[in-house]
Amino acid sequence: MSTILEKIAQIESEMARTQRNKATAGHLGLLKARLAKLRRELITPKGGGGASEQGFEVSKTGDARVGFVGFPSVGKSTLLSNLAGVYSEVAAYEFTTLTTVPGCIKYKGAKIQLLDLPGIIEGAKDGKGRGRQVIAVARTCNLIFMVLDVLKPLTHKKLLEHELEGFGLRLNKQPPNISYRRKDKGGVNLNATVAQSELDLDTVKTILGEYKIHNADITLKYDATADDLIDVIEGNRIYIPCIYLLNKIDQISIEELDVIYKIPHCVPISAHHHWNFDDLLDMMWQYLKLVRIYTKPKGQLPDYSSPIVLHHEHTTVESFCNKLHRTIAKEFKYALVWGSSVKHQPQKVGIDHVLNDEDVVQIVKKV
C-alpha cells in the first residue's frame, strides 16, 4: 500500500511543480490519468472487491438513503439523534462514532434512511483512518449531508470535497457531456462541437494511451477538461446531490446568518437546539426528487396515508407496478390516472406513461 501512496505523492508534487500552459497540457493530462488509476487501486485493491469492514455496511431500507459526512465533532451524531430519535453516542471529544449508525425518518409519506458515518480525517482518500470504508458507504447514498462547523466552514468544505473527489464522488455535478465509444480499429477520432481550451487531439491520445486505448470515438459537447475525460473513461464516478449543513449557528450573529443563507446548497442549522430543521427537511425533499403515487382500489377512495414512492428517474406506470408487486406488470391491461400527468381526470394510460408527484393510479388487470 505504501508504494501506491508514495507514487501518488510523487505525481501530486510533480503536478504542483508543472506550469499550466498549452505546452504542458498533454503532460498534465498523463499525470492526471496515472493519478486516477492509482486512486482506483487504492479503493479496490487487486485482491478483490473494495475494503468492507464489519459494522460499516448497513442494509438499505426505506425509499432513499442520506449519509452524514463531516470531520469529527461537528455535530453529526446530535443531528441524527434529534432528527430520527436514534441514540448515536454524543460527546465533546473527537471520534465518538466509530461505526455507521442508521436511523429512519418519515417525511411526506416517504421513509428516509439516515446514516451517521464516522468522522473523516484529512488523507482519508489515501487510506488514512477509516476513510475508505466511510466513503464506500457514502457512495451508496442518494444524498449527502455535509455537516460543517459554521465557524470554519470553507476550510472544512474544501478538504472534505477533495477527499470525496479522490474517491470518485462528484457532488452537485452532472456527468460530463462527452460521448465515448471504444472500437477495434481506426485510431482515435476526436469531434468537438464547441471550441476547446484544454483538450486537443494530442492530449486526448496521451490520456487514452495511459489506459492502453488506441481506438476510440470521442465527442466533446462542451468545453471539457482532462479531468472530465478521465471521469468518463474510468466510468466508476458517482454523481450525488449534496447539501452543506452549517451547524452551531447559535454561535454567530444575525448578520452572518443572512450572508450564509445566500450560499448555494447551504442550510444553516443548530443540531443541538433543533433550529431550522423545517428548512433542512424541505431542501432534502427537493434534492432527493422523490415522486409519491397514491393507489386507488376499484370503487374506493384513494389511500393517501401510505404512498408508493418512486425515484425521479423511474416514474413510469411499469415502475409503479414493479414497486407494488413484480407479477402485476405481467397481468397489466391499462391504468386509470388522476393528477397533473394527464389531461383528463381520470385518463386511461398504458404501461409506459410517465407519472407526476401525487398522481392517483388505479390498475386494471387482464381478466
Side-chain angles (χ1 to χ4, degrees):
M1 191 67 81
S2 61
T3 53
I4 296 180
L5 292 178
E6 282 162 16
K7 284 178 189 168
I8 285 175
Q10 283 169 5
I11 291 173
E12 283 180 337
S13 67
E14 191 178 338
M15 281 170 69
R17 288 196 308 270
T18 308
Q19 281 190 323
R20 290 171 183 274
N21 54 43
K22 275 278 183 198
T24 60
H27 180 59
L28 279 169
L30 180 70
L31 293 176
K32 284 176 178 175
R34 281 186 188 155
L35 198 57
K37 283 169 70 182
L38 288 168
R39 287 259 160 78
R40 176 161 28 101
E41 274 182 55
L42 261 186
I43 304 169
T44 48
K46 284 182 176 164
S52 128
E53 199 169 304
Q54 198 62 36
F56 269 80
E57 195 37 63
V58 175
S59 60
K60 224 172 183 174
T61 60
D63 301 304
R65 194 177 222 194
V66 178
F68 294 20
V69 171
F71 280 111
S73 290
V74 289
K76 299 190 298 298
S77 300
T78 309
L79 183 60
L80 181 74
S81 301
N82 291 341
L83 269 178
V86 172
Y87 180 70
S88 177
E89 196 177 332
V90 176
Y93 54 84
E94 298 198 337
F95 300 106
T96 322
T97 307
L98 295 173
T99 60
T100 304
V101 180
C104 189
I105 57 168
K106 219 171 173 198
Y107 187 68
K108 294 192 176 181
K111 281 188 190 142
I112 294 160
Q113 187 183 35
L114 306 175
L115 296 180
D116 175 17
L117 302 173
I120 289 178
I121 57 170
E122 212 177 328
K125 67 182 183 313
D126 303 328
K128 280 189 191 167
R130 286 176 148 187
R132 190 186 307 154
Q133 294 94 315
V134 174
I135 297 174
V137 178
R139 283 172 69 94
T140 67
C141 295
N142 304 99
L143 172 67
I144 297 287
F145 278 175
M146 190 180 285
V147 187
L148 303 165
D149 188 327
V150 76
L151 299 174
K152 39 191 170 184
L154 288 174
T155 47
H156 279 189
K157 179 174 176 280
K158 276 205 175 91
L159 288 168
L160 279 168
E161 282 177 342
H162 186 59
E163 298 301 326
L164 295 173
E165 291 257 327
F167 269 92
L169 278 165
R170 302 289 178 261
L171 305 178
N172 295 328
K173 285 183 182 173
Q174 292 298 316
N177 194 0
I178 296 173
S179 70
Y180 159 70
R181 189 174 65 87
R182 288 184 75 163
K183 51 188 187 177
D184 297 328
K185 55 186 180 184
V188 174
N189 285 329
L190 177 66
N191 293 312
T193 55
V194 295
Q196 298 293 315
S197 57
E198 188 174 321
L199 292 177
D200 55 24
L201 186 58
D202 290 340
T203 308
V204 169
K205 278 183 175 173
T206 306
I207 293 169
L208 290 173
E210 181 59 29
Y211 287 94
K212 298 186 169 56
I213 298 166
H214 306 294
N215 302 293
D217 289 333
I218 288 176
T219 307
L220 308 173
K221 297 169 186 172
Y222 69 111
D223 187 4
T225 65
D227 292 316
D228 295 339
L229 180 60
I230 291 165
D231 282 355
V232 170
I233 297 165
E234 283 278 339
N236 62 354
R237 304 303 190 229
I238 295 195
Y239 297 84
I240 301 185
C242 174
I243 298 175
Y244 303 101
L245 311 188
L246 297 175
N247 191 20
K248 307 181 185 177
I249 55 170
D250 46 315
Q251 299 175 16
I252 61 168
S253 67
I254 296 287
E255 289 76 25
E256 288 171 308
L257 196 56
D258 288 340
V259 173
I260 286 167
Y261 249 114
K262 290 171 185 160
I263 304 168
H265 314 297
C266 271
V267 181
I269 59 159
S270 169
H272 183 67
H273 295 287
H274 295 234
W275 290 353
N276 211 22
F277 281 9
D278 290 351
D279 264 14
L280 168 60
L281 292 171
D282 191 47
M283 199 167 186
M284 174 191 78
W285 184 258
Q286 285 173 35
Y287 278 54
L288 284 172
K289 295 182 183 168
L290 296 177
V291 174
R292 294 157 296 172
I293 308 297
Y294 300 108
T295 54
K296 183 188 179 304
K298 194 174 181 183
Q300 295 177 32
L301 289 170
D303 177 12
Y304 289 114
S305 61
S306 50
I308 301 296
V309 180
L310 304 175
H311 197 260
H312 71 102
E313 288 170 357
H314 306 286
T315 59
T316 59
V317 173
E318 186 175 10
S319 305
F320 170 73
C321 291
N322 291 336
K323 193 85 187 265
L324 283 169
H325 198 276
R326 60 181 177 275
T327 59
I328 291 178
K330 291 173 189 164
E331 302 165 357
F332 178 88
K333 188 178 180 187
Y334 64 87
L336 291 171
V337 177
W338 292 257
S340 59
S341 70
V342 289
K343 287 179 183 170
H344 313 291
Q345 311 292 334
Q347 187 169 321
K348 207 175 182 179
V349 300
I351 203 156
D352 296 327
H353 176 75
V354 176
L355 299 164
N356 286 352
D357 190 29
E358 298 200 276
D359 277 1
V360 174
V361 177
Q362 180 183 320
I363 302 290
V364 178
K365 295 181 183 178
K366 292 173 189 163
V367 180

